[in-house]
PDB file of all heavy atoms in Angstrom:
ATOM      1  N   VAL A 284     -98.657 -17.823 -86.974  1.00 89.00           N
ATOM      2  CA  VAL A 284     -97.649 -18.874 -86.860  1.00 89.00           C
ATOM      3  C   VAL A 284     -97.426 -19.485 -88.236  1.00 89.00           C
ATOM      4  O   VAL A 284     -98.388 -19.901 -88.894  1.00 89.00           O
ATOM      5  CB  VAL A 284     -98.091 -19.964 -85.861  1.00 89.00           C
ATOM      6  CG1 VAL A 284     -97.019 -21.033 -85.729  1.00 89.00           C
ATOM      7  CG2 VAL A 284     -98.413 -19.361 -84.508  1.00 89.00           C
ATOM      8  N   SER A 285     -96.160 -19.575 -88.653  1.00 89.00           N
ATOM      9  CA  SER A 285     -95.831 -20.168 -89.949  1.00 89.00           C
ATOM     10  C   SER A 285     -95.727 -21.683 -89.825  1.00 89.00           C
ATOM     11  O   SER A 285     -95.680 -22.228 -88.717  1.00 89.00           O
ATOM     12  CB  SER A 285     -94.514 -19.601 -90.475  1.00 89.00           C
ATOM     13  OG  SER A 285     -93.424 -20.150 -89.761  1.00 89.00           O
ATOM     14  N   LYS A 286     -95.650 -22.353 -90.969  1.00 87.00           N
ATOM     15  CA  LYS A 286     -95.468 -23.807 -90.980  1.00 87.00           C
ATOM     16  C   LYS A 286     -94.158 -24.210 -90.317  1.00 87.00           C
ATOM     17  O   LYS A 286     -94.047 -25.297 -89.769  1.00 87.00           O
ATOM     18  CB  LYS A 286     -95.471 -24.329 -92.415  1.00 87.00           C
ATOM     19  CG  LYS A 286     -96.802 -24.355 -93.065  1.00 87.00           C
ATOM     20  CD  LYS A 286     -96.649 -24.950 -94.447  1.00 87.00           C
ATOM     21  CE  LYS A 286     -97.978 -25.302 -95.043  1.00 87.00           C
ATOM     22  NZ  LYS A 286     -97.815 -25.941 -96.361  1.00 87.00           N
ATOM     23  N   ASP A 287     -93.160 -23.330 -90.382  1.00 86.00           N
ATOM     24  CA  ASP A 287     -91.837 -23.618 -89.829  1.00 86.00           C
ATOM     25  C   ASP A 287     -91.737 -23.315 -88.337  1.00 86.00           C
ATOM     26  O   ASP A 287     -90.678 -23.495 -87.751  1.00 86.00           O
ATOM     27  CB  ASP A 287     -90.775 -22.793 -90.559  1.00 86.00           C
ATOM     28  CG  ASP A 287     -90.752 -23.094 -92.043  1.00 86.00           C
ATOM     29  OD1 ASP A 287     -91.116 -24.212 -92.432  1.00 86.00           O
ATOM     30  OD2 ASP A 287     -90.373 -22.194 -92.813  1.00 86.00           O
ATOM     31  N   GLY A 288     -92.791 -22.803 -87.738  1.00 85.00           N
ATOM     32  CA  GLY A 288     -92.777 -22.505 -86.313  1.00 85.00           C
ATOM     33  C   GLY A 288     -92.418 -21.069 -85.978  1.00 85.00           C
ATOM     34  O   GLY A 288     -92.385 -20.695 -84.818  1.00 85.00           O
ATOM     35  N   TYR A 289     -92.127 -20.244 -86.978  1.00 88.00           N
ATOM     36  CA  TYR A 289     -91.878 -18.829 -86.715  1.00 88.00           C
ATOM     37  C   TYR A 289     -93.202 -18.143 -86.397  1.00 88.00           C
ATOM     38  O   TYR A 289     -94.242 -18.539 -86.931  1.00 88.00           O
ATOM     39  CB  TYR A 289     -91.220 -18.154 -87.926  1.00 88.00           C
ATOM     40  CG  TYR A 289     -89.843 -18.664 -88.206  1.00 88.00           C
ATOM     41  CD1 TYR A 289     -89.629 -19.706 -89.088  1.00 88.00           C
ATOM     42  CD2 TYR A 289     -88.745 -18.106 -87.566  1.00 88.00           C
ATOM     43  CE1 TYR A 289     -88.352 -20.189 -89.340  1.00 88.00           C
ATOM     44  CE2 TYR A 289     -87.467 -18.572 -87.803  1.00 88.00           C
ATOM     45  CZ  TYR A 289     -87.278 -19.621 -88.690  1.00 88.00           C
ATOM     46  OH  TYR A 289     -86.025 -20.090 -88.929  1.00 88.00           O
ATOM     47  N   TRP A 290     -93.174 -17.151 -85.544  1.00 88.00           N
ATOM     48  CA  TRP A 290     -94.429 -16.492 -85.165  1.00 88.00           C
ATOM     49  C   TRP A 290     -94.225 -14.991 -85.015  1.00 88.00           C
ATOM     50  O   TRP A 290     -93.124 -14.518 -84.781  1.00 88.00           O
ATOM     51  CB  TRP A 290     -95.000 -17.084 -83.880  1.00 88.00           C
ATOM     52  CG  TRP A 290     -94.051 -17.051 -82.718  1.00 88.00           C
ATOM     53  CD1 TRP A 290     -93.161 -18.022 -82.362  1.00 88.00           C
ATOM     54  CD2 TRP A 290     -93.882 -15.991 -81.773  1.00 88.00           C
ATOM     55  NE1 TRP A 290     -92.447 -17.628 -81.250  1.00 88.00           N
ATOM     56  CE2 TRP A 290     -92.873 -16.388 -80.869  1.00 88.00           C
ATOM     57  CE3 TRP A 290     -94.480 -14.755 -81.607  1.00 88.00           C
ATOM     58  CZ2 TRP A 290     -92.465 -15.597 -79.809  1.00 88.00           C
ATOM     59  CZ3 TRP A 290     -94.064 -13.952 -80.551  1.00 88.00           C
ATOM     60  CH2 TRP A 290     -93.074 -14.379 -79.666  1.00 88.00           C
ATOM     61  N   ILE A 291     -95.349 -14.281 -85.169  1.00 87.00           N
ATOM     62  CA  ILE A 291     -95.405 -12.834 -84.950  1.00 87.00           C
ATOM     63  C   ILE A 291     -96.663 -12.542 -84.133  1.00 87.00           C
ATOM     64  O   ILE A 291     -97.731 -13.071 -84.439  1.00 87.00           O
ATOM     65  CB  ILE A 291     -95.444 -12.056 -86.275  1.00 87.00           C
ATOM     66  CG1 ILE A 291     -94.118 -12.228 -87.029  1.00 87.00           C
ATOM     67  CG2 ILE A 291     -95.734 -10.574 -86.038  1.00 87.00           C
ATOM     68  CD1 ILE A 291     -94.081 -11.563 -88.386  1.00 87.00           C
ATOM     69  N   LEU A 292     -96.533 -11.729 -83.102  1.00 88.00           N
ATOM     70  CA  LEU A 292     -97.660 -11.332 -82.267  1.00 88.00           C
ATOM     71  C   LEU A 292     -98.016  -9.879 -82.575  1.00 88.00           C
ATOM     72  O   LEU A 292     -97.148  -9.007 -82.554  1.00 88.00           O
ATOM     73  CB  LEU A 292     -97.313 -11.475 -80.786  1.00 88.00           C
ATOM     74  CG  LEU A 292     -98.408 -11.109 -79.795  1.00 88.00           C
ATOM     75  CD1 LEU A 292     -99.622 -12.017 -79.945  1.00 88.00           C
ATOM     76  CD2 LEU A 292     -97.875 -11.177 -78.372  1.00 88.00           C
ATOM     77  N   LEU A 293     -99.282  -9.646 -82.889  1.00 85.00           N
ATOM     78  CA  LEU A 293     -99.790  -8.312 -83.207  1.00 85.00           C
ATOM     79  C   LEU A 293    -100.881  -7.942 -82.218  1.00 85.00           C
ATOM     80  O   LEU A 293    -101.489  -8.818 -81.602  1.00 85.00           O
ATOM     81  CB  LEU A 293    -100.392  -8.287 -84.613  1.00 85.00           C
ATOM     82  CG  LEU A 293     -99.550  -8.805 -85.764  1.00 85.00           C
ATOM     83  CD1 LEU A 293    -100.387  -8.836 -87.039  1.00 85.00           C
ATOM     84  CD2 LEU A 293     -98.327  -7.944 -85.952  1.00 85.00           C
ATOM     85  N   ASP A 294    -101.142  -6.675 -82.076  1.00 85.00           N
ATOM     86  CA  ASP A 294    -102.361  -6.261 -81.385  1.00 85.00           C
ATOM     87  C   ASP A 294    -103.136  -5.328 -82.288  1.00 85.00           C
ATOM     88  O   ASP A 294    -102.569  -4.623 -83.108  1.00 85.00           O
ATOM     89  CB  ASP A 294    -102.102  -5.678 -79.995  1.00 85.00           C
ATOM     90  CG  ASP A 294    -101.672  -4.228 -79.970  1.00 85.00           C
ATOM     91  OD1 ASP A 294    -102.293  -3.409 -80.670  1.00 85.00           O
ATOM     92  OD2 ASP A 294    -100.737  -3.904 -79.230  1.00 85.00           O
ATOM     93  N   VAL A 295    -104.440  -5.395 -82.165  1.00 81.00           N
ATOM     94  CA  VAL A 295    -105.343  -4.574 -82.966  1.00 81.00           C
ATOM     95  C   VAL A 295    -106.301  -3.888 -82.009  1.00 81.00           C
ATOM     96  O   VAL A 295    -106.884  -4.531 -81.141  1.00 81.00           O
ATOM     97  CB  VAL A 295    -106.126  -5.434 -83.974  1.00 81.00           C
ATOM     98  CG1 VAL A 295    -107.073  -4.579 -84.787  1.00 81.00           C
ATOM     99  CG2 VAL A 295    -105.175  -6.196 -84.885  1.00 81.00           C
ATOM    100  N   ASP A 296    -106.432  -2.607 -82.153  1.00 80.00           N
ATOM    101  CA  ASP A 296    -107.342  -1.839 -81.301  1.00 80.00           C
ATOM    102  C   ASP A 296    -108.785  -2.201 -81.647  1.00 80.00           C
ATOM    103  O   ASP A 296    -109.163  -2.198 -82.805  1.00 80.00           O
ATOM    104  CB  ASP A 296    -107.088  -0.350 -81.526  1.00 80.00           C
ATOM    105  CG  ASP A 296    -107.755   0.510 -80.476  1.00 80.00           C
ATOM    106  OD1 ASP A 296    -108.995   0.479 -80.401  1.00 80.00           O
ATOM    107  OD2 ASP A 296    -107.023   1.218 -79.767  1.00 80.00           O
ATOM    108  N   ARG A 297    -109.582  -2.563 -80.640  1.00 79.00           N
ATOM    109  CA  ARG A 297    -110.988  -2.940 -80.886  1.00 79.00           C
ATOM    110  C   ARG A 297    -111.817  -1.762 -81.342  1.00 79.00           C
ATOM    111  O   ARG A 297    -112.764  -1.919 -82.101  1.00 79.00           O
ATOM    112  CB  ARG A 297    -111.624  -3.530 -79.620  1.00 79.00           C
ATOM    113  CG  ARG A 297    -111.138  -4.896 -79.292  1.00 79.00           C
ATOM    114  CD  ARG A 297    -111.913  -5.564 -78.173  1.00 79.00           C
ATOM    115  NE  ARG A 297    -112.169  -4.720 -77.025  1.00 79.00           N
ATOM    116  CZ  ARG A 297    -113.373  -4.549 -76.482  1.00 79.00           C
ATOM    117  NH1 ARG A 297    -114.420  -5.141 -76.973  1.00 79.00           N
ATOM    118  NH2 ARG A 297    -113.522  -3.793 -75.429  1.00 79.00           N
ATOM    119  N   ILE A 298    -111.494  -0.580 -80.883  1.00 79.00           N
ATOM    120  CA  ILE A 298    -112.265   0.609 -81.219  1.00 79.00           C
ATOM    121  C   ILE A 298    -111.827   1.167 -82.569  1.00 79.00           C
ATOM    122  O   ILE A 298    -112.630   1.456 -83.436  1.00 79.00           O
ATOM    123  CB  ILE A 298    -112.090   1.691 -80.125  1.00 79.00           C
ATOM    124  CG1 ILE A 298    -112.324   1.094 -78.766  1.00 79.00           C
ATOM    125  CG2 ILE A 298    -112.917   2.922 -80.447  1.00 79.00           C
ATOM    126  CD1 ILE A 298    -113.656   1.160 -78.167  1.00 79.00           C
ATOM    127  N   ASP A 299    -110.524   1.320 -82.745  1.00 75.00           N
ATOM    128  CA  ASP A 299    -109.967   1.873 -83.975  1.00 75.00           C
ATOM    129  C   ASP A 299    -109.288   0.740 -84.743  1.00 75.00           C
ATOM    130  O   ASP A 299    -108.096   0.499 -84.598  1.00 75.00           O
ATOM    131  CB  ASP A 299    -108.966   2.980 -83.654  1.00 75.00           C
ATOM    132  CG  ASP A 299    -108.373   3.629 -84.891  1.00 75.00           C
ATOM    133  OD1 ASP A 299    -108.765   3.244 -86.013  1.00 75.00           O
ATOM    134  OD2 ASP A 299    -107.517   4.511 -84.723  1.00 75.00           O
ATOM    135  N   THR A 300    -110.027   0.023 -85.565  1.00 69.00           N
ATOM    136  CA  THR A 300    -109.504  -1.157 -86.252  1.00 69.00           C
ATOM    137  C   THR A 300    -108.475  -0.814 -87.322  1.00 69.00           C
ATOM    138  O   THR A 300    -107.852  -1.706 -87.876  1.00 69.00           O
ATOM    139  CB  THR A 300    -110.646  -1.988 -86.870  1.00 69.00           C
ATOM    140  OG1 THR A 300    -111.403  -1.148 -87.744  1.00 69.00           O
ATOM    141  CG2 THR A 300    -111.541  -2.563 -85.802  1.00 69.00           C
ATOM    142  N   ASN A 301    -108.305   0.465 -87.626  1.00 72.00           N
ATOM    143  CA  ASN A 301    -107.248   0.875 -88.545  1.00 72.00           C
ATOM    144  C   ASN A 301    -105.876   0.866 -87.882  1.00 72.00           C
ATOM    145  O   ASN A 301    -104.870   0.996 -88.546  1.00 72.00           O
ATOM    146  CB  ASN A 301    -107.518   2.281 -89.092  1.00 72.00           C
ATOM    147  CG  ASN A 301    -108.622   2.280 -90.106  1.00 72.00           C
ATOM    148  OD1 ASN A 301    -108.830   1.295 -90.801  1.00 72.00           O
ATOM    149  ND2 ASN A 301    -109.337   3.372 -90.192  1.00 72.00           N
ATOM    150  N   ARG A 302    -105.849   0.750 -86.574  1.00 76.00           N
ATOM    151  CA  ARG A 302    -104.581   0.774 -85.851  1.00 76.00           C
ATOM    152  C   ARG A 302    -104.178  -0.652 -85.497  1.00 76.00           C
ATOM    153  O   ARG A 302    -104.900  -1.379 -84.848  1.00 76.00           O
ATOM    154  CB  ARG A 302    -104.717   1.607 -84.588  1.00 76.00           C
ATOM    155  CG  ARG A 302    -103.419   1.764 -83.844  1.00 76.00           C
ATOM    156  CD  ARG A 302    -103.554   2.883 -82.811  1.00 76.00           C
ATOM    157  NE  ARG A 302    -102.406   2.932 -81.951  1.00 76.00           N
ATOM    158  CZ  ARG A 302    -101.242   3.473 -82.276  1.00 76.00           C
ATOM    159  NH1 ARG A 302    -101.076   3.981 -83.479  1.00 76.00           N
ATOM    160  NH2 ARG A 302    -100.253   3.498 -81.420  1.00 76.00           N
ATOM    161  N   GLY A 303    -102.991  -1.031 -85.938  1.00 78.00           N
ATOM    162  CA  GLY A 303    -102.432  -2.333 -85.606  1.00 78.00           C
ATOM    163  C   GLY A 303    -100.989  -2.163 -85.207  1.00 78.00           C
ATOM    164  O   GLY A 303    -100.294  -1.295 -85.727  1.00 78.00           O
ATOM    165  N   CYS A 304    -100.523  -2.970 -84.264  1.00 81.00           N
ATOM    166  CA  CYS A 304     -99.149  -2.854 -83.779  1.00 81.00           C
ATOM    167  C   CYS A 304     -98.454  -4.209 -83.791  1.00 81.00           C
ATOM    168  O   CYS A 304     -99.053  -5.228 -83.484  1.00 81.00           O
ATOM    169  CB  CYS A 304     -99.118  -2.322 -82.352  1.00 81.00           C
ATOM    170  SG  CYS A 304     -99.709  -0.637 -82.179  1.00 81.00           S
ATOM    171  N   TYR A 305     -97.184  -4.158 -84.115  1.00 81.00           N
ATOM    172  CA  TYR A 305     -96.305  -5.316 -84.001  1.00 81.00           C
ATOM    173  C   TYR A 305     -95.796  -5.350 -82.567  1.00 81.00           C
ATOM    174  O   TYR A 305     -95.298  -4.346 -82.061  1.00 81.00           O
ATOM    175  CB  TYR A 305     -95.165  -5.157 -84.999  1.00 81.00           C
ATOM    176  CG  TYR A 305     -93.940  -5.959 -84.683  1.00 81.00           C
ATOM    177  CD1 TYR A 305     -93.848  -7.282 -85.079  1.00 81.00           C
ATOM    178  CD2 TYR A 305     -92.877  -5.393 -83.996  1.00 81.00           C
ATOM    179  CE1 TYR A 305     -92.714  -8.019 -84.804  1.00 81.00           C
ATOM    180  CE2 TYR A 305     -91.742  -6.117 -83.718  1.00 81.00           C
ATOM    181  CZ  TYR A 305     -91.663  -7.439 -84.118  1.00 81.00           C
ATOM    182  OH  TYR A 305     -90.551  -8.166 -83.838  1.00 81.00           O
ATOM    183  N   LEU A 306     -95.924  -6.496 -81.890  1.00 81.00           N
ATOM    184  CA  LEU A 306     -95.462  -6.590 -80.508  1.00 81.00           C
ATOM    185  C   LEU A 306     -94.183  -7.398 -80.369  1.00 81.00           C
ATOM    186  O   LEU A 306     -93.254  -6.997 -79.689  1.00 81.00           O
ATOM    187  CB  LEU A 306     -96.546  -7.206 -79.624  1.00 81.00           C
ATOM    188  CG  LEU A 306     -97.819  -6.398 -79.462  1.00 81.00           C
ATOM    189  CD1 LEU A 306     -98.815  -7.146 -78.606  1.00 81.00           C
ATOM    190  CD2 LEU A 306     -97.519  -5.046 -78.854  1.00 81.00           C
ATOM    191  N   ALA A 307     -94.153  -8.588 -80.980  1.00 82.00           N
ATOM    192  CA  ALA A 307     -92.999  -9.466 -80.797  1.00 82.00           C
ATOM    193  C   ALA A 307     -92.979 -10.511 -81.907  1.00 82.00           C
ATOM    194  O   ALA A 307     -93.971 -10.732 -82.592  1.00 82.00           O
ATOM    195  CB  ALA A 307     -93.086 -10.159 -79.439  1.00 82.00           C
ATOM    196  N   ARG A 308     -91.812 -11.158 -82.044  1.00 84.00           N
ATOM    197  CA  ARG A 308     -91.685 -12.258 -82.982  1.00 84.00           C
ATOM    198  C   ARG A 308     -90.742 -13.283 -82.394  1.00 84.00           C
ATOM    199  O   ARG A 308     -89.950 -12.987 -81.522  1.00 84.00           O
ATOM    200  CB  ARG A 308     -91.202 -11.774 -84.339  1.00 84.00           C
ATOM    201  CG  ARG A 308     -89.770 -11.332 -84.369  1.00 84.00           C
ATOM    202  CD  ARG A 308     -89.322 -10.731 -85.669  1.00 84.00           C
ATOM    203  NE  ARG A 308     -89.631 -11.563 -86.793  1.00 84.00           N
ATOM    204  CZ  ARG A 308     -89.676 -11.149 -88.050  1.00 84.00           C
ATOM    205  NH1 ARG A 308     -89.410  -9.899 -88.328  1.00 84.00           N
ATOM    206  NH2 ARG A 308     -89.957 -11.961 -89.030  1.00 84.00           N
ATOM    207  N   GLY A 309     -90.847 -14.502 -82.885  1.00 85.00           N
ATOM    208  CA  GLY A 309     -89.982 -15.565 -82.387  1.00 85.00           C
ATOM    209  C   GLY A 309     -89.753 -16.612 -83.446  1.00 85.00           C
ATOM    210  O   GLY A 309     -90.373 -16.612 -84.507  1.00 85.00           O
ATOM    211  N   ASP A 310     -88.863 -17.551 -83.126  1.00 82.00           N
ATOM    212  CA  ASP A 310     -88.503 -18.556 -84.111  1.00 82.00           C
ATOM    213  C   ASP A 310     -88.691 -19.981 -83.618  1.00 82.00           C
ATOM    214  O   ASP A 310     -88.140 -20.906 -84.176  1.00 82.00           O
ATOM    215  CB  ASP A 310     -87.074 -18.356 -84.580  1.00 82.00           C
ATOM    216  CG  ASP A 310     -86.069 -18.439 -83.444  1.00 82.00           C
ATOM    217  OD1 ASP A 310     -86.479 -18.679 -82.291  1.00 82.00           O
ATOM    218  OD2 ASP A 310     -84.880 -18.262 -83.726  1.00 82.00           O
ATOM    219  N   ALA A 311     -89.473 -20.152 -82.577  1.00 71.00           N
ATOM    220  CA  ALA A 311     -89.725 -21.501 -82.092  1.00 71.00           C
ATOM    221  C   ALA A 311     -91.121 -21.577 -81.511  1.00 71.00           C
ATOM    222  O   ALA A 311     -91.544 -20.704 -80.773  1.00 71.00           O
ATOM    223  CB  ALA A 311     -88.710 -21.888 -81.030  1.00 71.00           C
ATOM    224  N   SER A 312     -91.836 -22.602 -81.891  1.00 61.00           N
ATOM    225  CA  SER A 312     -93.158 -22.832 -81.301  1.00 61.00           C
ATOM    226  C   SER A 312     -93.466 -24.310 -81.382  1.00 61.00           C
ATOM    227  O   SER A 312     -92.944 -25.034 -82.230  1.00 61.00           O
ATOM    228  CB  SER A 312     -94.240 -22.024 -82.003  1.00 61.00           C
ATOM    229  OG  SER A 312     -94.382 -22.461 -83.329  1.00 61.00           O
ATOM    230  N   THR A 313     -94.309 -24.758 -80.502  1.00 62.00           N
ATOM    231  CA  THR A 313     -94.778 -26.134 -80.519  1.00 62.00           C
ATOM    232  C   THR A 313     -96.294 -26.099 -80.554  1.00 62.00           C
ATOM    233  O   THR A 313     -96.914 -25.457 -79.706  1.00 62.00           O
ATOM    234  CB  THR A 313     -94.319 -26.891 -79.257  1.00 62.00           C
ATOM    235  OG1 THR A 313     -92.894 -26.812 -79.193  1.00 62.00           O
ATOM    236  CG2 THR A 313     -94.763 -28.322 -79.291  1.00 62.00           C
TER     237      THR A 313
END
Side-chain angles (χ1 to χ4, degrees):
V284 181
S285 74
K286 286 183 167 183
D287 301 332
Y289 294 92
W290 56 269
I291 293 177
L292 181 63
L293 308 174
D294 81 46
V295 179
D296 193 297
R297 287 189 315 129
I298 310 267
D299 182 2
T300 56
N301 286 330
R302 184 166 172 79
C304 294
Y305 159 85
L306 295 178
R308 71 186 309 161
D310 59 1
S312 65
T313 303

